Amino acid sequence: MVEFIGIERMRELIATRGAARFIAELAQEIEADFLRWDVFEKSPRHATHSAVGVIELMPASDGRLYSFKYVNGHPRNTARGLLTVTAFGVLADVETGYPLLLSELTLTTALRTAATSALAARRMARPDSRVLALIGNGAQSEFQAIAFHHLLGIRELRLYDVDVGAIAKLERNLARLRLEGLRVVRCASTAVAVAGADIVTTVTADKRNATILTADLIEPGMHLNAVGGDCPGKTELAPDILRRADVRVAVEYEPQSRIEGEIQQMTPQYPVIELAALIAGKAQARASDREVTIFDSVGFALEDFSALRYLLRIHQEERGAQRRIDLVPDLADPKDLFALLAPQPRALRPGVAA
């Protein structure tokens, strides 16, 4: 039997802790694994592209545990009443090859993306950063808001989306959360939202080379958290931003980011820093308070590995509606797989001779 976490179990686990604590604990798990960067077997994700979206597989292993995530990205889905991104994942034991956990990762992907964004910003943004502009107010926006408020002390959140319905949705959800000390401001444009912001998060969904931010909007000392660009041909930053002399860029895994990140717009020689080096203190995040820093985030399999291990632990520790599924056969004789198909003896009615 394999442990199983579906949507209802995920809701239960998050409700028990609260979203802010859940994200904070997840950030600790991810940070701990980035500190073990060299032990992981790493590769860019395998992507199958179509005209309307992408389906990807994301594997990672530390030699003891193995994980993979199945995830899609289909920006047009919302017009059909479907999510843009859905995901599930497996955590397995390397020694036996047996799966330990099958879990939903749609909610979890939003949570781990927010956790990683905050983890990077704690090292890259100015320590006194208190104003965040959130450009793109769709499915991931609440998670980003919670993470930056809780982990970085953001006190003003500026919202902008081309879809006013998305802004209204985010405002309603933030009002329900009642995040202490957070001022929420609806803005009329990207330029208005970004002006004077310490941190700018872009989390838009269109599968195209969009220009969400232009060089003239970028002020000295800003930290840009570019989350939406995550596949070939999908970016959010104008190339001139990346060409600025005062810019320093960090990525999760350089071979993957060269294909999918904002830096796909640049030459292969364009200099970047890997997040693991920042976390380990092997690289400097910024040279001064006037330098512009960019976290070119595409999402990496190690983050899902961390999330699945964390989920398995709290799922087993906490009381609740724990479930297992018969995903793998349990045989008396492991060489006799056909026994699963063999006719089973009939139960005899009382008083009937065999």
Side-chain angles (χ1 to χ4, degrees):
M1 301 294 281
V2 177
E3 300 284 357
F4 174 69
I5 298 176
I7 296 297
E8 286 307 311
R9 179 59 172 160
M10 268 300 297
R11 291 177 65 184
E12 185 179 81
L13 293 171
I14 295 167
T16 299
R17 277 169 159 71
R21 177 186 167 192
F22 193 101
I23 290 172
E25 291 180 351
L26 192 49
Q28 290 176 348
E29 296 282 340
I30 293 168
E31 182 177 40
D33 281 335
F34 269 107
L35 285 170
R36 301 190 302 134
W37 182 250
D38 291 339
V39 309
F40 280 89
E41 183 176 331
K42 301 176 284 288
S43 67
R45 54 189 159 208
H46 179 272
T48 299
H49 296 274
S50 69
V52 294
V54 62
I55 295 174
E56 299 169 328
L57 290 177
M58 301 172 62
S61 176
D62 66 354
R64 187 177 67 86
L65 295 171
Y66 168 90
S67 74
F68 77 83
K69 179 169 80 171
Y70 167 101
V71 60
N72 77 295
H74 286 67
R76 299 181 193 174
N77 271 4
T78 52
R80 303 168 62 183
L82 302 174
L83 289 164
T84 296
V85 175
T86 65
F88 69 88
V90 169
L91 185 69
D93 175 33
V94 169
E95 185 175 353
T96 64
Y98 267 48
L100 304 172
L101 172 68
L102 172 63
S103 178
E104 84 79 38
L105 286 183
T106 305
L107 265 171
T108 305
T109 293
L111 290 156
R112 70 85 158 132
T113 300
T116 306
S117 291
L119 191 60
R122 282 197 299 197
R123 284 162 175 78
M124 302 186 75
R126 299 190 322 272
D128 62 349
S129 295
R130 294 294 178 266
V131 179
L132 169 66
L134 187 48
I135 312 301
N137 300 163
Q140 294 216 25
S141 56
E142 289 85 357
F143 303 93
Q144 293 282 328
I146 294 167
F148 277 83
H149 174 260
H150 184 66
L151 296 178
L152 273 87
I154 289 298
R155 291 293 174 262
E156 180 171 305
L157 183 62
R158 300 178 183 173
L159 315 181
Y160 179 70
D161 196 300
V162 294
D163 177 4
V164 294
I167 303 175
K169 176 271 303 180
L170 179 54
E171 285 178 321
R172 287 194 305 271
N173 287 337
L174 291 174
R176 293 190 187 106
L177 287 170
R178 297 180 180 178
L179 299 177
E180 185 177 354
L182 182 66
R183 178 172 178 253
V184 179
V185 181
R186 180 190 284 229
C187 298
S189 67
T190 296
V192 171
V194 167
D198 302 309
I199 300 172
V200 180
T201 289
T202 55
V203 59
T204 60
D206 283 350
K207 189 183 177 184
R208 62 188 178 93
N209 292 123
T211 306
I212 306 302
L213 295 180
T214 52
D216 59 297
L217 299 178
I218 309 306
E219 299 174 6
M222 273 184 174
H223 172 62
L224 309 183
N225 178 39
V227 178
D230 58 3
C231 70
K234 183 171 181 252
T235 55
E236 297 178 309
L237 307 185
D240 285 350
I241 296 175
L242 299 169
R243 296 190 186 105
R244 287 174 59 122
D246 62 347
V247 160
R248 192 172 301 215
V249 179
V251 300
E252 288 140 311
Y253 179 52
E254 184 175 347
Q256 179 173 299
S257 297
R258 294 282 180 192
I259 299 167
E260 301 179 345
E262 297 297 327
I263 60 171
Q264 68 183 270
Q265 305 176 87
M266 313 309 288
T267 66
Q269 292 75 37
Y270 183 81
V272 297
I273 305 164
E274 286 191 326
L275 181 58
L278 289 181
I279 290 175
K282 297 177 180 178
Q284 187 179 23
R286 59 168 56 241
S288 73
D289 284 348
R290 293 187 60 80
E291 194 168 41
V292 175
T293 56
I294 301 174
F295 180 43
D296 183 6
S297 174
V298 297
F300 184 54
L302 179 147
E303 298 151 27
D304 303 305
F305 175 99
S306 305
L308 285 162
R309 189 190 57 219
Y310 170 68
L311 287 175
L312 180 60
R313 186 176 74 247
I314 65 172
H315 172 68
Q316 292 177 332
E317 289 174 352
E318 294 190 5
R319 299 171 65 182
Q322 295 186 24
R323 288 188 60 188
R324 293 181 177 183
I325 56 173
D326 56 345
L327 191 64
V328 177
D330 184 9
L331 302 171
D333 179 357
K335 294 184 178 181
D336 189 8
L337 181 61
F338 191 76
L340 290 173
L341 304 181
Q344 300 300 309
R346 287 186 179 182
L348 297 177
R349 295 194 308 274
V352 177

